[in-house]
Amino acid sequence: MDSEPKLSVLFTRDEIAATVSRLAAEIRHDYLDKNPVLIAVLKGSFVFLADLVRQLDFPLEVEFVRLSSYGRGTESSGTVKMAPGALSQIKGRHILVVEDIIDTGLTSAFLLDYLRRRKPASLKFCTLTDKAARRRGPVNIDYRGLAVPDKFIVGYGLDCDERFRNLPDICVLEQ
Ligand code: 5GP
């Protein structure tokens, strides 16, 4: 039988909460009168989005997309796919993409390109965590949460083979 994976806390729930509050203040400042559409990337962003929107006290809408670049396991397959299912109107709207993590940047570049072609009024990008060391191309991050080292992290929505999304802290999965 496999031994239990070892987890070590990287960011506590309090550090995460402080970061979400900071990002919410920045977003509120920019979107107060814009009725933006926040587009969260499933599944990992669901906890972050839920905490974020409850700190945004102005009109906004929420959409979800499902993308995958990871098969099972911890290495990116390098290609990004979008699950079928239409997003509501993008054209002319102020769009804010909400991500849990940006790693190579392939997922975000794909989604931002997809959205840009649908002619939004504006398009910005928010990520809770940023693993900059592994970036394979430039992605402009408008709202950046926490810098993470080149380790595989889980918790606060992030999984490994569907486990650990429910951890309240962000932890490094020691391989
Ligand atoms: P990218 O396309 O930027 O390489 O990867 C983005 C996606 O890969 C994220 O939305 C997430 O699903 C997954 N990912 C990248 N790094 C990690 C990590 O350290 N932990 C977890 N759980 N997922 C990651």
Side-chain angles (χ1 to χ4, degrees):
M1 208 175 125
D2 289 350
S3 57
E4 271 300 293
K6 193 171 167 309
L7 300 172
S8 51
V9 174
L10 181 62
F11 299 114
T12 64
R13 61 205 78 185
D14 291 346
E15 288 171 305
I16 298 167
T19 302
V20 174
S21 295
R22 170 176 64 80
L23 293 171
E26 292 172 22
I27 291 167
R28 183 179 194 280
H29 176 267
D30 294 347
Y31 286 95
L32 194 54
D33 54 359
K34 292 200 164 84
N35 189 21
V37 184
L38 273 58
I39 300 184
V41 182
L42 288 173
K43 297 179 188 173
S45 300
F46 80 104
V47 178
F48 174 39
L49 183 82
D51 282 348
L52 183 68
V53 292
R54 284 179 291 171
Q55 295 203 33
L56 300 177
D57 58 346
F58 55 86
L60 58 81
E61 295 173 25
V62 168
E63 287 278 355
F64 294 95
V65 290
R66 187 109 188 245
L67 299 170
S68 60
S69 67
Y70 278 54
R72 297 181 78 78
T74 61
E75 266 306 309
S76 175
S77 66
T79 53
V80 184
K81 290 188 197 131
M82 183 133 171
L87 277 172
S88 65
Q89 185 78 358
I90 302 298
K91 192 174 177 186
R93 299 297 303 270
H94 294 281
I95 306 293
L96 177 61
V97 173
V98 176
E99 264 280 24
D100 48 355
I101 186 163
I102 174 164
D103 181 18
T104 63
L106 293 175
T107 307
S108 314
F110 172 88
L111 179 59
L112 289 169
D113 183 57
Y114 176 94
L115 294 169
R116 200 173 290 115
R117 281 187 275 117
R118 280 154 185 81
K119 309 227 177 314
S122 68
L123 180 59
K124 288 191 177 184
F125 182 73
C126 171
T127 185
L128 178 64
T129 64
D130 178 15
K131 209 193 280 183
R134 285 174 36 101
R135 201 75 86 252
R136 286 202 224 157
V139 175
N140 190 47
I141 302 175
D142 301 285
Y143 308 95
R144 184 195 313 263
L146 298 156
V148 298
D150 187 5
K151 306 264 172 139
F152 196 79
I153 58 172
V154 295
Y156 198 72
L158 288 154
D159 76 312
C160 180
D161 286 348
E162 299 303 328
R163 275 189 78 184
F164 308 119
R165 293 193 196 277
N166 52 327
L167 297 177
D169 304 314
I170 292 178
C171 300
V172 172
L173 183 65
E174 309 288 357
Q175 310 264 2

